[in-house]
Amino acid sequence: MKKYLTLALGLAIAMPLLAQLPQTLSFQGYLTSDAGEPITTESGSPLAVSFALYTVSSGGTAVWGPEPQNISVDKGIFSTTLGSTEPLSVLSFDVPYFLQITVDGEDLPRIPVTAGVYSLSALNAENITTNTVNIANGGTDSDNAIDARTNLGLAIGTNVQGFDADLSDLADGSLSGSKIGTGIDAANITTNTLSILNGGTAASSAGIARVNLGLAIGTDVQAFDADLDDLADGSLTGSKVGLGINAANITTNSLAIANGGTAASTAGDARTNLGLAIDSDVQAYDTDLDDLADGSLTGSKVGSGINASNITINSLAIANGGTAANNAGDARTNLGVAIGSDVQAFDADLTDLADGSLTGSKVGTGINASNITTNSLALANGGTGATTASGARTNLSLVPGTNIQAFDDDLTDLADGSLTGSKVGTGISASNVSTGTLADARLEGTVDVTRLNTTGGIHVGGTTNPGTDNLIVDGTLRVGEDGSPSTTLQVVHSNGSPTAGDGLTITGDDGGGTRESWSFYTLPSNGNLILYSGINSRGFFNAGNGAYTQTSDRRIKKNLTPLDGVLKDVIQIPTYTYHFKHQTDNQEKEIGVIAQELKQIFPSFVEYSEPDDMHSVNYAGLSVVAIKAIQEQQEIIESLRSEITALKKQLTNVEMERSGLNKRLNEQEHKIETLFKMLSKISPGSSELILSDIK
């Protein structure tokens, strides 16, 4: 169904008319819906439009484009430039062209490009035979080469250099000896000087040259000296130093500290200058100090005036390792260990408890368990926080039947960790229990299973062996939720989607890694049953009327091409009423087609299934073809209706003409009869003869 209609308002060249063909063209159009309403796009939401040029009005291959663009439309009017990304200069413009516009994937009728555009090809340089093209329009405003050069400011010998083989020889940018004539060699430079900027000295003598180059001897550079030359290797050995420079010969002044000396002429001054003055900067030598140099202070090294018994005044501060006291009591107080205040005084009872244990022999009669007569020992202190056994069990979360399992002989029987035949009831017979995995399981009665993994089959509710990789259900089965199933098999899923892991999925696996799945999902909001192939929605069954609706959204389609010319094919499709071979003759017949016959006419509506060697028909697709056939048939009907209307009009005109002729004929007959009557009066009997001859 067509959605858009367009009208070309203008197609113009978007460049000056030069000798070359156009690069771009300006196009303006008027876009409406198929109902004739002008289109207006919302801000920021342009239409996806592409343009292409063909040499035929339909079919064929594009000779330019398609060029995709995003177009904004205001009240139907839009403007754009063709050739923005692909220049139109690839076209010759010497044949008719048709512009194909595609809007949102829909091809609109092609628009013929007007003859005005073709005139561009006639404006190329070879067709200009009269007058000249002025400079402003890309010409030279001249009809000959000399004037053209002058007009363009390229006059040879005035504006530009005429060709010279010598200059051509220098065009590579190098000036080698072979390119310089004898008049330019160095010996022939007899006047002026070569400037420093050009690689010379700007001087005519060596002395001036050295000055100009900043190399004046004795000023800028050192004149040659054999003594200096001897030092050129960078070393200063004894053989290179004269008598006046050795250390013994330094007789005046002193060597500065900065140069590695002492800046003094005496040892005392030297020590002072170096910050090593004895008794001022450093300790003078003392044998007593030498005795302490090993870092230890033993009794033999301490004089009688310094031993402990000789400390007779003050006391040694705590900061210096003493007690700041002169008696034991004050010392304990100063050190924070006052007995009875800071520390516990000695007690034999405490000594008995020093081993960290509290045995019965260490506890007096006032503290034994029988003497605890008030309150209870809290949980935090290792008690129960209760005064009764029941309260104790509650506080300790050990209530039988609530927190812990009450005693049961059956559980005692299983306490050894084994499940033997004698311990199993009839519903879970021992013959079906083996070591490791549960093989060929049969689940009877009500069974709650959180997760069941099996490598064999599972049979629910019956006695048949399930075999391998099978699930057999006798009765009803509900998956996904607690409760009683309403049907034999009920699958309950959450309010999500198959892409989120909800629904029922059927998967085919070829065993080689290829898997294809169909998923079924019921939408809780309206009850529709949605079908997914993989993760893609394919359609749904309407919960209200049971109709199947196939997914057909424009957003999942591409390569849209209008369907055309199907009526001639539709009328060739053979149709039948029939029974399937599995039906009886008294059943109502089906109506349809034969897949193999339809494949010859519309192969896209026939699918072949290799596994079962069967052909199937897409009847839903045939309905679309039927719609198009009806449309084409309606076009024929409308055309015939117009022809019939025209024929009726012509027939009416003929009838009117015939009626007029009959009227005139009657008038003539009346006149003739009147004439005969007149003749009969003149000559009786002759009138009958004449009338007979006329008739």
Side-chain angles (χ1 to χ4, degrees):
M1 178 181 294
K2 290 189 177 296
K3 184 178 178 181
Y4 300 102
L5 297 174
T6 187
L7 172 66
L9 299 180
L11 186 63
I13 309 164
M15 61 168 287
L17 295 179
L18 303 179
Q20 70 270 21
L21 293 178
Q23 300 288 325
T24 59
L25 293 176
S26 292
F27 178 78
Q28 188 176 53
Y30 184 72
L31 186 66
T32 69
S33 66
D34 54 359
E37 296 294 330
I39 300 296
T40 296
T41 57
E42 296 182 2
S43 177
S45 301
L47 284 176
V49 182
S50 66
F51 301 87
L53 286 174
Y54 293 77
T55 57
V56 291
S57 60
S58 64
T61 302
V63 295
W64 174 85
E67 182 179 69
Q69 297 188 21
N70 292 322
I71 301 296
S72 296
V73 186
D74 184 20
K75 298 178 181 177
I77 298 175
F78 67 93
S79 300
T80 187
T81 299
L82 308 184
S84 300
T85 58
E86 183 178 351
L88 292 167
S89 57
V90 297
L91 304 177
S92 61
F93 285 97
D94 57 355
V95 296
Y97 292 111
F98 296 86
L99 179 62
Q100 175 73 70
I101 303 176
T102 303
V103 182
D104 278 346
E106 178 182 330
D107 291 335
L108 304 182
R110 294 178 187 173
I111 302 171
V113 180
T114 59
V117 179
Y118 304 136
S119 63
L120 296 173
S121 62
L123 293 179
N124 57 36
E126 63 184 18
N127 292 329
I128 299 176
T129 56
T130 60
N131 298 325
T132 59
V133 179
N134 58 36
I135 294 175
N137 291 326
T140 64
D141 206 13
S142 173
D143 57 0
N144 61 79
I146 295 175
D147 290 342
R149 290 195 296 271
T150 300
N151 293 343
L152 295 175
L154 297 172
I156 298 174
T158 300
N159 305 112
V160 296
Q161 176 69 41
F163 177 81
D164 190 325
D166 293 337
L167 294 176
S168 181
D169 193 25
L170 298 174
D172 60 357
S174 66
L175 185 64
S176 59
S178 62
K179 296 177 181 179
I180 300 176
T182 56
I184 307 178
D185 61 25
N188 291 329
I189 299 177
T190 57
T191 59
N192 297 324
T193 59
L194 188 61
S195 68
I196 295 174
L197 184 64
N198 294 323
T201 64
S204 56
S205 68
I208 297 174
R210 290 194 295 271
V211 171
N212 291 346
L213 295 175
L215 297 172
I217 297 173
T219 301
D220 301 306
V221 296
Q222 177 68 41
F224 177 81
D225 190 323
D227 293 336
L228 294 176
D229 187 66
D230 193 25
L231 298 173
D233 59 357
S235 65
L236 185 62
T237 60
S239 61
K240 297 178 181 180
V241 179
L243 291 176
I245 305 176
N246 61 36
N249 292 329
I250 298 176
T251 57
T252 60
N253 299 325
S254 58
L255 188 61
I257 294 173
N259 295 324
T262 63
S265 57
T266 65
D269 291 342
R271 288 193 298 271
T272 299
N273 292 344
L274 295 175
L276 298 172
I278 297 173
D279 291 329
S280 174
D281 300 306
V282 297
Q283 176 69 42
Y285 177 79
D286 190 328
T287 54
D288 292 336
L289 294 176
D290 188 63
D291 192 26
L292 299 173
D294 60 357
S296 64
L297 185 63
T298 61
S300 61
K301 297 178 182 181
V302 180
S304 60
I306 306 178
N307 60 37
S309 62
N310 291 329
I311 299 177
T312 58
I313 57 173
N314 298 326
S315 57
L316 188 60
I318 294 173
N320 295 323
T323 64
N326 53 20
N327 60 72
D330 291 343
R332 289 194 295 272
T333 299
N334 292 344
L335 294 176
V337 290
I339 297 172
S341 175
D342 299 308
V343 297
Q344 178 69 40
F346 176 82
D347 191 326
D349 293 337
L350 294 177
T351 300
D352 194 25
L353 298 174
D355 61 358
S357 65
L358 185 62
T359 61
S361 61
K362 297 178 182 180
V363 180
T365 57
I367 308 179
N368 60 35
S370 61
N371 291 330
I372 298 176
T373 57
T374 60
N375 298 325
S376 59
L377 189 58
L379 292 173
N381 296 324
T384 64
T387 58
T388 65
S390 174
R393 290 194 295 268
T394 300
N395 292 344
L396 295 174
S397 296
L398 296 172
V399 179
T402 301
N403 306 114
I404 59 174
Q405 178 67 44
F407 177 79
D408 192 325
D409 285 332
D410 293 337
L411 294 177
T412 300
D413 196 22
L414 298 174
D416 60 359
S418 65
L419 185 63
T420 60
S422 61
K423 298 177 182 180
V424 180
T426 57
I428 311 176
S429 63
S431 60
N432 289 332
V433 180
S434 60
T435 303
T437 59
L438 186 62
D440 296 341
R442 183 173 70 250
L443 308 178
E444 300 177 355
T446 300
V447 181
D448 292 330
V449 180
T450 302
R451 182 185 179 103
L452 180 61
N453 294 325
T454 176
T455 56
I458 301 176
H459 192 154
V460 180
T463 59
T464 306
N465 190 318
T468 303
D469 296 332
N470 290 314
L471 172 62
I472 300 176
V473 179
D474 289 341
T476 58
L477 175 64
R478 184 183 179 100
V479 180
E481 190 178 59
D482 294 336
S484 300
S486 58
T487 57
T488 302
L489 173 61
Q490 183 176 7
V491 178
V492 180
H493 61 71
S494 61
N495 186 12
S497 71
T499 57
D502 296 314
L504 173 64
T505 299
I506 300 176
T507 302
D509 191 335
D510 67 353
T514 301
R515 296 165 64 95
E516 294 293 339
S517 300
W518 274 93
S519 298
F520 303 87
Y521 171 78
T522 300
L523 193 63
S525 60
N526 56 23
N528 291 344
L529 175 61
I530 306 176
L531 278 64
Y532 287 79
S533 176
I535 62 172
N536 300 308
S537 174
R538 297 305 185 204
F540 65 87
F541 288 96
N542 188 287
N545 54 27
Y548 177 72
T549 302
Q550 180 178 337
T551 301
S552 186
D553 195 295
R554 171 184 283 273
R555 293 170 296 177
I556 62 174
K557 298 180 181 181
K558 64 179 181 178
N559 302 330
L560 294 174
T561 304
L563 187 62
D564 198 13
V566 300
L567 181 59
K568 59 181 176 56
D569 294 325
V570 169
I571 60 179
Q572 298 180 46
I573 301 175
T575 57
Y576 304 92
T577 63
Y578 54 87
H579 281 125
F580 285 105
K581 290 184 177 180
H582 65 268
Q583 293 178 306
T584 61
D585 291 346
N586 60 353
Q587 288 182 284
E588 187 174 351
K589 282 190 173 183
E590 308 288 340
I591 298 176
V593 299
I594 303 301
Q596 287 85 344
E597 294 177 350
L598 181 63
K599 188 175 184 179
Q600 302 302 318
I601 304 170
F602 288 105
S604 61
F605 293 151
V606 178
E607 296 286 345
Y608 174 70
S609 176
E610 187 174 353
D612 52 11
D613 188 28
M614 281 290 166
H615 291 82
S616 58
V617 173
N618 179 6
Y619 280 100
L622 277 177
S623 64
V624 177
V625 173
I627 291 173
K628 182 59 180 177
I630 292 172
Q631 292 174 345
E632 293 179 0
Q633 190 177 54
Q634 187 62 32
E635 291 176 0
I636 296 173
I637 292 172
E638 293 298 331
S639 176
L640 292 175
R641 179 176 291 152
S642 298
E643 292 181 11
I644 291 172
T645 301
L647 290 174
K648 283 183 177 181
K649 185 176 181 180
Q650 292 177 8
L651 182 59
T652 300
N653 293 336
V654 171
E655 287 293 332
M656 291 177 64
E657 291 178 1
R658 188 176 67 82
S659 177
L661 289 173
N662 286 339
K663 183 178 180 181
R664 288 196 296 272
L665 180 60
N666 290 335
E667 291 175 352
Q668 293 301 323
E669 286 181 349
H670 178 70
K671 290 179 180 181
I672 292 172
E673 288 178 359
T674 302
L675 179 61
F676 285 152
K677 288 179 181 180
M678 293 174 65
L679 290 174
S680 64
K681 291 180 179 181
I682 300 173
S683 177
S686 60
S687 62
E688 286 80 2
L689 178 61
I690 295 172
L691 184 60
S692 176
D693 291 338
I694 293 173
K695 292 180 178 180

